[in-house]
């Protein structure tokens, strides 16, 4: 269990940074529109985890939240769109199998700094994930899925929907050395909104990802 408090979530002190003498409560974003977020201050975060072993079963559950009690605009004024987020998850292991699920909810997500050119400061978003894996003799294979929705009221086109699925594998090559691979597919539907200069107003985008890697632990 943990609790933390941050008097300032972001600062730009006079004499250093992008703009000398800028209000320390209001970072400057180069080339950004005036709707870019400022800085959150007086931030409280709370989180907790519980791990237990019940013979053939092991359980991990946890969750947390974070709240900014003061939010500043890029001009240095305060705003009522204070960001916060909440998340929770659980994982159950039995035999060679592990299953899990998690979720998160973001209030005023644009104020957190998440890029969203079609969003307004008052828009919220949420994410849900679920997956499972099977491991035997140093080899683990798993599947994970994700679905999320993000408000985009700045264009009035409805929520942006993003979902994806991935196939992951790990091979324990030796003590502390793992070989890893992933194949993933992700899709995003923007309801025809011009979400960025790089997407050119397409109604949806799709991505395929192939990864190979090595993890060395010592």
């Amino acid at each position: 269990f943990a609790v933390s408090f941050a008097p300032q979530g972001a600062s730009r002190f006079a004499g250093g940074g992008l703009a000398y003498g800028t209000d320390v409560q209001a970072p400057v974003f180069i080339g950004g529109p005036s709707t870019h977020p400022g800085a959150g201050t007086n931030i409280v975060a709370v989180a907790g985890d519980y791990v237990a072993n019940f013979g053939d079963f092991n359980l991990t559950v946890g969750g947390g939240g974070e709240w900014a009690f003061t939010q500043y605009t890029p001009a240095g004024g305060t705003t009522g769109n204070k960001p916060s987020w909440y998340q929770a998850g659980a994982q159950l292991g039995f035999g060679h199998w592990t299953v899990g699920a998690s979720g998160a909810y973001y209030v005023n997500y644009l104020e957190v700094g998440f890029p969203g050119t079609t969003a307004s400061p008052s828009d919220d978003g949420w994410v849900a994930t679920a997956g499972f894996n099977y491991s035997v003799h140093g080899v683990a294979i798993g599947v994970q899925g994700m679905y999320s929705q993000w408000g985009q009221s700045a264009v009035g086109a409805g929520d942006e929907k993003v979902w994806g699925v991935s196939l992951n594998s790990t091979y324990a090559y030796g003590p502390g050395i793992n070989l890893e691979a992933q194949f993933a597919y992700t899709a995003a539907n923007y309801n025809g909104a011009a979400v960025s200069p790089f997407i050119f107003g397409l109604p949806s985008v799709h991505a395929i990802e192939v990864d190979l890697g090595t993890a060395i632990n010592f």
Side-chain angles (χ1 to χ4, degrees):
F1 178 76
V3 178
S4 70
F5 173 74
Q8 290 179 294
S11 299
R12 189 174 310 288
F13 297 102
L18 299 177
Y20 299 108
T22 302
D23 187 337
V24 296
Q25 309 288 8
V28 174
F29 294 82
I30 291 181
S34 60
T35 56
H36 269 43
T41 63
N42 298 318
I43 299 172
V44 175
V46 179
D49 293 322
Y50 174 76
V51 179
N53 193 323
F54 303 98
D56 295 334
F57 294 86
N58 58 78
L59 175 68
T60 301
V61 295
E66 187 171 279
W67 303 265
F69 288 92
T70 307
Q71 178 72 16
Y72 289 87
T73 68
T78 58
T79 175
N81 296 316
K82 303 178 183 66
S84 61
W85 61 259
Y86 311 85
Q87 68 175 19
Q91 180 174 283
L92 177 66
F94 51 96
H96 299 289
W97 294 89
T98 303
V99 297
S102 65
Y105 191 85
Y106 301 90
V107 179
N108 301 329
Y109 74 87
L110 189 65
E111 301 291 355
V112 181
F114 291 173
T117 57
T118 60
S120 296
S122 59
D123 285 332
D124 302 337
W126 61 268
V127 182
T129 68
F132 67 90
N133 69 31
Y134 180 82
S135 60
V136 61
H137 301 308
V139 178
I141 299 177
V143 176
Q144 181 181 17
M146 177 275 294
Y147 182 84
S148 66
Q149 290 191 14
W150 305 87
Q152 51 177 13
S153 62
V155 296
D159 291 343
E160 170 193 342
K161 302 175 180 64
V162 182
W163 65 274
V165 61
S166 64
L167 174 66
N168 313 279
S169 64
T170 302
Y171 171 61
Y173 180 77
I177 302 177
N178 291 334
L179 305 179
E180 302 177 349
Q182 179 191 60
F183 177 81
Y185 171 79
T186 306
N189 187 307
Y190 300 94
N191 297 306
V195 296
S196 81
F198 303 102
I199 297 177
F200 302 106
L202 296 176
S204 61
V205 293
H206 307 268
I208 294 177
E209 180 180 352
V210 179
D211 303 298
L212 298 172
T214 303
I216 301 176
N217 303 295
F218 56 90

